[in-house]
Amino acid sequence: MIMDRTLTIPVLTGTFLFSTEPAAAAQETVKIPNLTISLGSSGDPSQLVSGIQILLLLTVLATAPALLMMVTSFTRVVVVLSFVRRAIGTQTTPPNQVLIALSLFLTVFIMSPVWQAMNRNALQPYMAQQIGQGEAFRRAIVPLRSFMLAQTREKDLSLFVEMAKIERPRNAEDVPTHVLIPAFAISELRTSFEIGFLIYVPFLILDMVIASVLMSMGMLMLPPIVISLPFKLLLFVLVDGWYLVVGSLVKSFA
């Protein structure tokens, strides 16, 4: 018997035909665009300058996260929030994504006056073609340097001035930016650890009290953290801990 190459399936509403012949569209090849980057010679120096500017822009974008952490309030905020989580005893609550997101939003809130000054004094005149790139950079760095100088300890600044082997600056304007940034970073770490210690103290006392009670009752095999965790959570909620921590963090930059 010779079977027909068309298969007929009866259904309630009609007949569907399935052909064994390959579809014409399936036989067409999909064209993928080709991207080629090449180096060639040019007699116009401006083309080389434009290419270098693009490479510099890509480099700045790649290092943007590091710049955000090193020259803003992000370091202090995220370290203190991490101390809060560990002091309570909840190792993964709030999760890292929540802490990082909250730290970023608090950083935007704290740094908004600085960024507004940079936008008003540097970015807007540059977009209006009133100043050049060099002048825009010099204007933009002024409010950021003022913020970092206000949060940097003189001891840390003196350390990096000495290690850089440069002449002692006569005023704040004479401090090089490459010296100011690491001094600001270690000052932020010290301040965040000081705040973290103050946060740890009440929870540590609560752990010691509960551990003493358990030992006096002879319950040596019961981990104190099992009993102290609910009490620490209750204490943190009763004193409105997030309100106090976030408020103190923001006011510490005033």
Side-chain angles (χ1 to χ4, degrees), residues 71-83:
V71 300
T72 63
S73 59
F74 181 82
T75 301
R76 184 188 304 185
V77 173
V78 73
V79 171
V80 170
L81 293 182
S82 300
F83 270 120

Side-chain angles (χ1 to χ4, degrees), residues 53-218:
Q53 290 178 347
I54 293 175
L55 291 177
L56 291 176
L57 178 61
L58 293 177
T59 303
V60 171
L61 292 177
T63 58
L67 293 176
L68 175 64
M69 292 186 293
M70 295 301 295
V71 300
T72 63
S73 59
F74 181 82
T75 301
R76 184 188 304 185
V77 173
V78 73
V79 171
V80 170
L81 293 182
S82 300
F83 270 120
V84 171
R85 183 175 65 179
R86 293 189 62 91
I88 297 175
T90 54
Q91 301 299 326
T92 58
T93 304
N96 291 330
Q97 293 85 348
V98 175
L99 289 184
I100 297 298
L102 180 59
S103 301
L104 286 174
F105 280 109
L106 288 177
T107 300
V108 172
F109 179 80
I110 294 170
M111 300 296 298
S112 58
V114 177
W115 290 340
Q116 289 174 3
M118 296 171 65
N119 177 65
R120 182 176 58 254
N121 299 331
L123 182 59
Q124 293 302 323
Y126 176 73
M127 297 295 293
Q129 298 183 355
Q130 298 176 357
I131 57 176
Q133 294 181 357
E135 181 64 22
F137 177 78
R138 286 190 291 271
R139 291 188 181 185
I141 202 66
V142 170
L144 190 59
R145 283 173 52 89
S146 299
F147 171 80
M148 289 190 291
L149 284 168
Q151 307 300 327
T152 304
R153 298 190 310 161
E154 185 177 354
K155 182 179 180 180
D156 297 329
L157 194 58
S158 301
L159 172 64
F160 283 94
V161 168
E162 180 181 355
M163 291 192 298
K165 298 180 180 180
I166 60 177
E167 185 180 355
R168 184 177 181 86
R170 292 170 295 181
N171 48 46
E173 288 75 14
D174 293 338
V175 178
T177 304
H178 72 277
V179 172
L180 176 59
I181 292 177
F184 168 75
I186 64 173
S187 295
E188 286 293 281
L189 288 175
R190 176 184 172 86
T191 304
S192 60
F193 273 67
E194 290 176 350
I195 298 175
F197 171 76
L198 296 177
I199 293 173
Y200 251 101
V201 169
F203 297 106
L204 179 61
I205 294 175
L206 184 59
D207 283 335
M208 295 175 62
V209 170
I210 292 178
S212 300
V213 172
L214 291 178
M215 291 182 63
S216 63
M217 296 175 61

